[in-house]
């Protein structure tokens, strides 16, 4: 009787989980599918039922958004900024996380605590101080060279992105490095490998699942970031989220909905493609990190 009751409870629990997951999937998929559907509609189709299927494939919306609205330039700017930010972030965070997780030295606890404290700092709270700092540096440069450097510069924006993401990234990588067994390091030390060779040849390949998680999470963060890009790029080198907001404002005022939704698809598509490519490794990385060797 108890076993039968337990089986019934397990069955009800599984049904609840499946219903919850299916409901969540529907809640996520329907809006995304609707945006994709709306992006290929002609403008007059929006005055009918919003749930009606498009009469045809009006890809002119993408050409108008990509070329006439400048989304192509914004797309390229976002690729440059996101790629550079990821490179800067990995170059800075991987050695830092490895050292802080595998070595004990004077001040290591303080540095670890300092990094963890950075997890509680919201980027939006420090946007204005960052802008004022860069503005002051620009003004100093203009007195010497008649030209600024730090504002309206995609490389500087990428560096700011990387620095603001360091606390979370170092914390995540350190947590993973701590789960790796020390046997491989000891074997490398016996073979005469130094610290750098051990890190690059042995530890980093073992930490690949965690690195993939870091790349995916920070790609989403950098690709969709708006506040810093709007504040630090006052010129025409806009990134995709800032350009999309301008497109939404212009097309809403002109009652031109097709290119507006096409612009949304242009922003969403790289994220969806990247997630599809790495989803298996992402799941692996989130589970392997919890197992100690």
């Amino acid at each position: 009787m108890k076993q039968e009751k337990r089986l019934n409870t397990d069955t009800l629990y599984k049904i609840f989980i499946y219903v919850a997951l299916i409901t969540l999937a529907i809640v996520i998929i329907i809006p995304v599918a609707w945006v994709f559907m709306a992006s290929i509609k002609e403008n007059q189709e929006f005055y009918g039922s919003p749930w009606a299927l498009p009469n045809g494939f009006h890809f002119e919306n993408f050409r108008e958004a990509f070329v006439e609205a400048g989304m192509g330039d914004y797309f390229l700017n976002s690729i440059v900024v996101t790629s550079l930010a990821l490179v800067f972030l990995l170059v800075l965070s991987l050695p830092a996380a490895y050292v802080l997780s595998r070595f004990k030295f004077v001040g290591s606890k303080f540095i670890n605590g300092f990094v963890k404290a950075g997890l509680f700092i919201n980027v939006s709270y420090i946007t204005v101080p960052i802008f004022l700092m860069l503005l002051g540096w620009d003004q100093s440069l203009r007195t010497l060279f008649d030209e600024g450097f730090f504002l309206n510069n995609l490389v500087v924006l990428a560096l700011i992105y990387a620095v603001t993401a360091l606390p979370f990234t170092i914390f995540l990588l350190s947590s993973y490095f701590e789960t790796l067994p020390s046997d491989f390091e000891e074997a490398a030390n016996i073979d005469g490998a130094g610290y750098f060779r051990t890190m690059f040849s042995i530890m980093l390949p073992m930490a690949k699942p965690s690195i993939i998680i870091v790349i995916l999470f920070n790609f989403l963060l950098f690709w969709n970031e708006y506040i810093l890009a709007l504040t630090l790029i006052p010129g025409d080198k806009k990134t995709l989220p800032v350009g999309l907001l301008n497109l939404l404002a212009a097309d809403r005022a002109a009652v031109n909905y097709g290119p507006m939704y096409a612009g949304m698809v242009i922003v969403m598509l790289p994220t969806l493609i990247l997630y599809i490519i790495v989803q298996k490794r992402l799941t692996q990385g989130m589970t392997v990190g919890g197992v100690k060797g």
Side-chain angles (χ1 to χ4, degrees):
M1 182 68 69
K2 288 184 179 180
Q3 187 175 3
E4 185 178 348
K5 186 176 181 181
R6 183 177 179 182
L7 288 174
N8 291 334
T9 304
D10 291 342
T11 303
L12 289 174
Y13 178 74
K14 288 180 180 179
I15 292 173
F16 171 76
I17 293 296
Y18 282 124
V19 170
L21 291 175
I22 291 171
T23 303
L24 181 62
I26 292 173
V27 169
I28 295 173
I29 290 172
I30 286 180
V32 174
W34 191 90
V35 170
F36 274 87
M37 214 168 48
S39 68
I40 55 175
K41 284 185 176 182
E42 294 190 50
N43 205 46
Q44 57 267 25
E45 295 182 60
F46 289 94
Y47 296 99
S49 172
W51 299 104
L53 294 174
N55 296 330
F57 297 95
H58 192 65
F59 291 111
E60 182 69 16
N61 293 332
F62 287 93
R63 190 202 66 79
E64 187 174 338
F66 212 78
V67 179
E68 296 181 13
M71 293 294 285
D73 294 333
Y74 305 150
F75 186 85
L76 181 61
N77 291 340
S78 283
I79 290 177
V80 171
V81 171
T82 303
S83 301
L84 285 176
L86 287 174
V87 170
F88 292 153
L89 180 63
L90 293 176
V91 168
L92 294 172
S93 62
L94 284 171
Y98 174 65
V99 170
L100 290 174
S101 61
R102 308 298 288 190
F103 299 96
K104 301 300 178 184
F105 52 90
V106 177
S108 61
K109 289 185 178 180
F110 172 78
I111 296 174
N112 269 310
F114 189 74
V115 170
K116 290 176 182 178
L119 295 171
F120 300 96
I121 299 176
N122 194 307
V123 175
S124 59
Y125 298 156
I126 59 175
T127 299
V128 173
I130 290 173
F131 171 74
L132 294 177
M133 178 183 69
L134 297 181
L135 179 63
W137 292 353
D138 255 10
Q139 290 173 344
S140 300
L141 281 179
R142 285 194 178 95
T143 60
L144 299 174
F145 304 106
D146 295 327
E147 188 175 351
F149 174 79
F150 295 101
L151 293 177
N152 204 36
N153 189 319
L154 296 180
V155 177
V156 174
L157 179 63
L159 185 59
I160 297 296
Y161 279 178
V163 171
T164 54
L166 275 177
F168 168 76
T169 305
I170 292 177
F171 175 75
L172 186 64
L173 290 173
S174 296
S175 300
Y176 189 88
F177 277 126
E178 287 173 357
T179 66
L180 299 179
S182 59
D183 300 347
F184 298 97
E185 288 172 292
E186 294 170 0
N189 187 35
I190 293 173
D191 290 340
Y195 294 130
F196 284 99
R197 185 179 175 186
T198 301
M199 182 181 73
F200 284 106
S201 300
I202 297 177
M203 302 306 292
L204 293 189
M206 293 176 63
K208 187 183 294 184
S210 180
I211 295 172
I212 290 173
I213 293 177
V214 163
I215 291 174
L216 179 61
F217 283 178
N218 285 294
F219 176 88
L220 297 176
L221 176 67
F222 300 154
W223 187 262
N224 297 306
E225 201 284 324
Y226 174 77
I227 296 177
L228 283 172
L230 177 67
T231 307
L232 304 183
I233 307 292
D236 56 351
K237 298 179 181 178
K238 295 180 177 64
T239 57
L240 208 50
V242 180
L244 177 63
L245 187 69
N246 293 344
L247 175 65
L248 294 179
D251 284 342
R252 193 181 294 117
V255 198
N256 195 15
Y257 298 113
M260 180 175 72
Y261 288 110
M264 293 182 186
V265 171
I266 292 172
V267 174
M268 289 192 301
L269 204 55
T271 302
L272 293 175
I273 292 173
L274 179 65
Y275 179 76
I276 291 170
I277 292 173
V278 304
Q279 62 174 334
K280 186 176 180 180
R281 290 184 175 273
L282 176 65
T283 306
Q284 177 189 4
M286 294 180 72
T287 54
V288 172
V291 181
K292 287 211 176 225

